Amino acid sequence: MTQKSYVPDRIDRRLIALLLDNARATAFTLAEAIGRSATAVARRQRALEEAGIITGYAARLDLARLGRAMTVHIKVTLESQRIDVLDAFETAIAASPSVVRCELMSGSYDYLVTVQARDLTDFAHIHRDELSRLPGVTQMESGFVLREVVAPRLPLSLLD
């Protein structure tokens, strides 16, 4: 699908905010909140999707209830920045079943990797059996999330 050039206006930004709060909201519910017809809201939502601004919809999960209460962020340093080293690492990390996020970083380390573990023993297995075997890794520094202070959200200033 080709993405169209589309600049969201104030109504689109309100629609986005409502969908971020409840992606399952019906066009009728959204229309009532925005003050437009359900048809107009559905048309705007479709335009945002076609423009690639809305890229999908997802369920929010309580990872603790699923037995994955421990979130760990790992700073990873590779042996070099050569493209073959980066490619090998990225291919391997994408196949790692415990990794929920991996981002290439600027600064003193190369990647920030996030994993979900059941507990400390489970993380020790993930560290030994998954992460330490990744190609090109020379150093890893783990940080354990003690408490989430701000849940993932879109900065409100982007919706102004």
Side-chain angles (χ1 to χ4, degrees), residues 67-122:
R68 297 287 177 168
M70 180 177 278
T71 302
V72 186
H73 299 295
I74 303 104
K75 298 174 185 176
V76 176
T77 303
L78 300 183
E79 64 190 35
S80 83
Q81 292 283 311
R82 288 190 339 259
I83 193 71
D84 60 316
V85 175
L86 296 173
D87 286 347
F89 175 83
E90 290 178 8
T91 298
I93 197 80
S96 184
S98 301
V99 173
V100 296
R101 189 174 183 106
C102 178
E103 299 164 301
L104 177 64
M105 304 296 291
S106 65
S108 60
Y109 55 93
D110 298 311
Y111 289 91
L112 181 62
V113 176
T114 304
V115 302
Q116 290 297 141
R118 287 186 286 279
D119 52 30
L120 193 56
T121 301
D122 186 39

Side-chain angles (χ1 to χ4, degrees), residues 145-153:
V145 174
L146 301 175
R147 178 172 53 93
E148 183 176 72
V149 177
V150 176
R153 66 179 182 196

